[in-house]
Amino acid sequence: MSELSHIPVLLSQIIEVLSPPILAAKDPIYFDGTFGRGGHLAALLQQFPQLRAFAADRDADAIQFGEQHFAEEIKTRRLRLQHANFADFSVREWGLFDAMLVDLGVSSPQLDQGPRGFSFYHEGPLDMRMDTRQETTAADLIATLSEDELIHLFQEYGEISKPYRVVRALVHDRKSEPFTTTHQLASLIERVDGWRRKGSHPATQYFLALRLQVNQELAAVETGLPALLLGLKPRGRLAVLTFHSLEDRIVKNLFKERSDLGTPVFKKVITAEWTEQKKNPRARSAKLRVFERSEDGQP
């Protein structure tokens, strides 16, 4: 593994919470459902020389990066890497694991690459697809959703209480010219909504809502996490990193509901310390929840 520039969030805490099942297993195996740039995986492989891993990601760029930077681990069969969505996890296909991690945030490379269309700070196509094999882009949503559907999307996923003026402007302006770039959309939102809070771009929640819808991210959490719980070995642990309240609520409720399988390891959510937040702004909104499968947990 070469040195990785991407800074993994809550790294020390994740190593700590996943250590017990890894250390207890004779031949521990770890599942990383959102490989990204492999920061968490690299640290765990280094920390536990006996660990074998299976990693998946829906982003082809992430898989290509992994094949290049984890070539030795793949060659020695210490790591198996697959282009797949963790939401498609099945025990029959992928097996049982001692430790699992799902990081639900957008990776820094995705945000930093203008052509991916995730960020209003970089000019690029209004895309936002994590898996470019799928057809629907953010531009498609802006072009085809009705006024009522756009209002519902921004209220539900962006948690914007009054998106009416922005939506009306979108529907009006798209009649004469389609929205195809990130700056086009961000500029309209700036013009209509203005800067209401210092340091927070007015387009932030609008872009979040579009990204969640384009990638069906909440649906992936709702369908994928229950399957992952069934993929835990007895006393195995699943750690989930979320970055906004909608996802965290789903995780929190699921962990409570599946008391037949196991229990949350901690009553309170784990957050980043101030020193990490200062070094890595992505850590500010991060929340970590951990579930442990019981010795006799039955589906």
Side-chain angles (χ1 to χ4, degrees), residues 143 169-180 184 188 191:
L170 282 173
V171 172
H172 175 272
D173 289 8
R174 74 185 183 184
K175 293 176 182 177
S176 56
E177 184 180 3
F179 286 85
T180 58
Q184 245 184 312
L188 177 138
R191 172 170 57 83

Side-chain angles (χ1 to χ4, degrees), residues 17-42:
V17 300
L18 294 183
S19 290
I22 293 174
L23 291 172
K26 182 179 179 181
D27 297 302
I29 183 165
Y30 162 72
F31 175 77
D32 192 320
T34 47
F35 173 76
R37 289 302 182 264
H40 293 107
L41 175 65

Side-chain angles (χ1 to χ4, degrees), residues 228-246:
L228 292 180
L229 293 182
L230 298 177
L232 288 171
K233 293 181 182 180
R235 297 299 177 191
R237 288 185 174 185
L238 166 64
V240 183
L241 261 178
T242 63
F243 291 84
H244 56 81
S245 59
L246 295 175

Side-chain angles (χ1 to χ4, degrees), residues 143-161:
T144 60
L145 293 183
S146 68
E147 183 172 337
D148 287 342
E149 287 171 333
L150 285 170
I151 288 171
H152 177 74
L153 171 64
F154 295 136
Q155 287 180 329
E156 187 74 15
Y157 286 177
E159 298 182 292
I160 304 163
S161 58

Side-chain angles (χ1 to χ4, degrees), residues 233-236 261-262 292-298:
K233 293 181 182 180
R235 297 299 177 191
L261 292 178
E292 181 174 292
R293 183 92 181 243
S294 63
E295 193 69 44
D296 58 349
Q298 298 295 323

